[in-house]
Amino acid sequence: MNVLRHGLRFVAAASIILSAGASAAQAESAQPGRWFLTVGGGLQSTSEPASHGATFEDPLFGSEAGEWTADYGGGRGEAFELSLGFRLAPRWGVGASVSRLSFSEEVEVTGRIPHPFRFDRMSVVEGVGSGLSRDETTVSAHLMWFIPAGRKVEFALFAGPTFYEAEQDLVSGIGFDRSYPYDAADLRGVERSRQSDSPVGYNLGGELAWYFGRRTGVVAAARYSRSTAHFETAEGCCKPVDVGGLQTSLGLRVRF
Amino acid sequence: MLLAPCSGFAQEVHKREAAAAVLFSLALLAAIAPGEAQAQAGPSVREFAVTSEPDAIFDLVRLEARISELERDGALRLLPSRVDRHLPGRVQQSLRQIHRGVPVYGGGVVRQLRDGVTLSVFGSLHEDIDLDVTPRLSPAEALAAMREAAGTGPATGEPPTLVVLPMPLGGYVLAWRAMMRDIKEYFVDAGTGEVAYVRDAMRNNEAVVGVGRGVTGALQKLSVSSTGERFEAYDRLRPAETVTLDGQSDVEVVGALIIGPDLEFETCTIAGCGVEWRQHVATDPDNWWEDEAVADGHAHLGLVYDYLYERQAWNGMNNTGSRVFSIVNMDDLNAFWISAPFGPEARGVVAFGSLPFGAPLVTLDIVAHELMHGVTFHSVRDRTGEPLLDSHTGVLGPESFSDGLFEYRCGVRLSRGGSLGRVGDPIVCRNGRFVLLWNEGGAINEAFSDILGFSVEAFVHPPGAGKLRADYLSGEDIDLIVRRSDEPASIGLPVRDDLPPPFGKAVGYPDSIDNAVRFFAIEIEEEDRILYLPLVMIDGRQFSVRSDIGYDGVHWNSTILSHAFYLAVEGGTHASSGREVEGVGSGNRDRIERIFFRAMTELMPARTTFSLTAAVLRQSARDLHGDGSPAFRAVDQALAAVGL
């Protein structure tokens, strides 16, 4: 949370400074202002946590240990973004954005359960755990380079740091059912633990803005962001997990 | 040679053993023909092994008519029918022989029906019974006679019951029967008050002597219970609970756990107020079990249970899912099964001692062997009303024999007493020839127990030779190979080493009915009893003196049938007959196991012989797999190879 808080402070401070400059400039000209605010949403593909697993003990295992592995499906989630920018010069500008990604994923779990009466006779359980959620809140700052492509169309490239607040449900254990003669078992479910980390990474991307009005337009953007969070798993601390990913979004922009 | 007994009840057994004193009361049969056979000597007993095969169909029809007639007359009483556990549509019936309202000991038939049609009938009927069934003795007087003979009181609160007892040398006795606390069932003549027959309720494993290097050291998993303060060898993870009690090498503890309270001084029953077995459950403070007897005994008890449940659909000792008990750390050089009404909950119990200075007798095959005695007991008794009985049968032997010093002819009487009997007792003869006797029922009982030992080993261990491998040896995991059913003759019978060959010569376990071990016996005329002598005829020709009678030689002769089991599974050439057997192969061994198990638990009559058992086994194979099946062929050929 500290990193996120710092990110938000950074954005707030920048906004105050930039808004002061913008007010002065707007007073001088009736042209659209140098500020622009974008609200949008889209999809973000994510990298999945690498497979992980653990051994575990049980009062009915004797001196043998059970084990399980979890393979996460990863996938894509819906992202919401709010960004604010300021054109410092005709070709240059700065911006900051806040985005929120949340999605639910499945995990394939495989376990090996020791027999209560016999050594070296494992029951294999397999199944899919669902509803493991992943949430990423990011604050990004970026420097923008504008490339005009006509009177109403403009490209921009941007890059900068990203502050992450990443939360992930990770498998921490498995539940199973079995009955005499204990030669087979069924996966009852997975136990999960909520892990979080606040890494700092980067973002880069580009956008295409089409202004259908004097002050308003739509923006299509593609942003790639990346960092590495470290989560505590059943194996211990800490497992590196990639956060971020490729985000494509569509938004509405207002210049003022 | 037997070691000195250590416990009171065992002492009785060993005394009896050392004295070569065996009482028996059933018919002496010279030979049994397939189907129906008439004894050559002794009381009239007719055996039946009739099936619905085309060539026997008329025999079956005649027998059915006769059974119906006997049932109408009240001479056969139908016990509650049972649905076959393995084959749908099959019903197993048991009809008990009754004489004027009194059961005839061992008499009766078991009948298998399919959709109401008879498929097979096995059993024995005693004929020419002309006996008044009005007892002169009251039950209380009979009990007093039993108490005097046993030196202790009754085992249960049940009063003695009447039975018609066939006598070994002919005739029948109306007797009161009751189980006493010396673990013997007494039959007292209801007319004279004399003890007419004593049945030992303890089924021993073979006495073992002297060698071994301890347990294998293999880790075992034990299903136990936690009390919070300690762990108990009390398994609650299986459908039936299995409990291992610690005898702590204390004769009194073991005796109390087995026998229960003395009813002469207590008013409760064994089940109700016996020794509190819960106080004697084996325990461990940290669940890392240091006691090898408990670790092996408890783990193996569970694994044998698993085999019975998973492979034979048999739940526990008596197939009701009742709690199964074993006792380890028994101060005895033996392992045994003691039948109901003994044991902590009056359903019988298996108990395990140890080798002298060595390993506890709790290997997987030994535990399976003893537990199978319990299965045999319950399965046969619950169907027929009697457990699988000792059946002493005889053949006519030589006219004379020599012990190296003297030539003995019929009519000779013992000139020496001691272990051979009493001076003056005549050696049993008929028609100028010595009668050679053996306990077929006991040997068959032992064979099925060994077979379960092999089967459970195959269930748990990989095949191979050596320790912790599935094989056809008994006791090899503690370097105590007492028998082997793949090559029976390679193990010698106990040798009397104070005699020169051929009397003390090594003789292998029999692999065929043709080299069965049969005993000379003495006749105690005034008591109408017969006692085995440690003088045996191995193959009908070879005379030998053994160190003892080896529990009637039941373990010795067991290899006849267990060798047939081996051949039916593995196939091969029978050593002494040269017959070829197409075994089903070890990958299909479960078929043979099922055939044998079903034969005992569904079809076997209480009184059986080797030939009757062979007929039952063939029927079991036919029922399960059909006449033309490889499994039937394997069983049929294997039985034929061993002379059955």
Side-chain angles (χ1 to χ4, degrees), chain A residues 128-150:
Chain A
V128 174
S130 59
L132 280 77
S133 69
R134 179 167 175 176
D135 300 300
E136 290 179 17
T137 304
T138 61
V139 175
S140 299
H142 39 258
L143 182 66
M144 303 181 74
W145 181 41
F146 299 104
I147 308 169

Side-chain angles (χ1 to χ4, degrees), chain B residues 534-550:
Chain B
L535 313 175
V536 300
M537 196 64 80
I538 301 300
D539 54 6
R541 298 180 301 278
Q542 189 179 354
F543 172 72
S544 180
V545 182
R546 312 317 307 170
S547 55
D548 58 71
I549 65 168

Side-chain angles (χ1 to χ4, degrees), chain A residues 64 115 117-118 180-182, chain B residues 221 237-238 306 310 459:
Chain A
E64 285 184 304
H115 196 281
F117 308 145
R118 313 271 289 269
Y180 183 83
Y182 309 110
Chain B
K221 284 190 177 182
L237 290 178
R238 292 177 166 92
D306 293 341
E310 295 181 42
F459 175 68

Side-chain angles (χ1 to χ4, degrees), chain A residues 59-65 114-122 178-183, chain B residues 219-223 235-239 287-288 302-303 305-307 309-310 459-461:
Chain A
L60 299 184
F61 288 174
S63 57
E64 285 184 304
H115 196 281
F117 308 145
R118 313 271 289 269
F119 282 101
D120 302 322
R121 180 177 283 202
M122 296 278 185
R178 61 179 176 174
S179 59
Y180 183 83
Y182 309 110
D183 292 330
Chain B
L219 284 176
Q220 298 280 12
K221 284 190 177 182
L222 286 78
S223 176
D235 172 19
R236 292 183 166 94
L237 290 178
R238 292 177 166 92
N287 215 17
W288 187 261
L303 293 173
Y305 175 91
D306 293 341
Y307 171 85
Y309 191 94
E310 295 181 42
F459 175 68
V460 174
H461 296 314

Side-chain angles (χ1 to χ4, degrees), chain B residues 312-480:
Chain B
Q312 306 300 344
W314 186 268
N315 189 355
M317 189 99 74
N318 58 0
N319 199 28
T320 64
S322 301
R323 194 176 288 124
V324 180
F325 289 97
S326 79
I327 302 172
V328 299
N329 289 326
M330 181 179 64
D331 191 8
D332 196 359
L333 307 171
N334 214 335
F336 51 74
W337 146 258
I338 294 181
S339 65
F342 299 102
E345 290 182 343
R347 287 187 298 273
V349 64
V350 288
F352 304 96
S354 61
L355 296 174
F357 319 113
L361 292 164
V362 286
T363 62
L364 186 59
D365 51 7
I366 292 174
V367 173
H369 178 106
E370 299 307 335
L371 203 60
M372 182 63 198
H373 281 314
V375 172
T376 297
F377 173 88
H378 283 290
S379 66
V380 177
R381 189 191 67 168
D382 292 351
R383 283 186 294 111
T384 70
E386 296 284 0
L388 190 72
L389 302 176
D390 289 343
S391 57
H392 300 266
T393 60
V395 296
L396 295 179
E399 295 178 353
S400 66
F401 70 90
S402 170
D403 65 1
L405 297 174
F406 301 103
E407 182 82 6
Y408 297 95
R409 294 195 164 275
C410 259
V412 69
R413 290 173 182 270
L414 285 186
S415 58
R416 290 180 293 160
S419 65
L420 292 181
R422 299 181 309 180
V423 173
D425 288 333
I427 298 182
V428 178
C429 278
R430 289 290 180 274
N431 303 326
R433 295 167 65 180
F434 289 104
V435 175
L436 301 174
L437 299 162
W438 62 329
N439 181 352
E440 294 191 65
I444 290 160
N445 199 334
E446 296 298 334
F448 275 83
S449 279
D450 275 359
I451 288 166
L452 190 82
F454 308 145
S455 303
V456 175
E457 279 197 353
F459 175 68
V460 174
H461 296 314
K467 295 180 180 179
L468 305 180
R469 290 291 180 270
D471 52 31
Y472 295 89
L473 281 61
S474 299
E476 79 284 358
D477 285 351
I478 48 172
D479 295 331
L480 177 75

Side-chain angles (χ1 to χ4, degrees), chain B residues 552-598:
Chain B
D552 307 348
V554 292
H555 301 95
W556 305 345
N557 286 317
S558 70
T559 51
I560 297 168
L561 198 60
S562 61
H563 187 51
F565 173 83
Y566 161 79
L567 289 171
V569 174
E570 305 292 348
T573 305
H574 185 259
S576 43
S577 71
R579 284 176 175 263
E580 293 287 336
V581 178
E582 288 179 72
V584 295
S586 54
N588 295 313
R589 63 175 303 134
D590 58 315
R591 299 178 190 176
I592 306 300
E593 292 173 8
R594 176 64 68 91
I595 288 167
F596 273 72
F597 194 84
R598 171 182 159 76

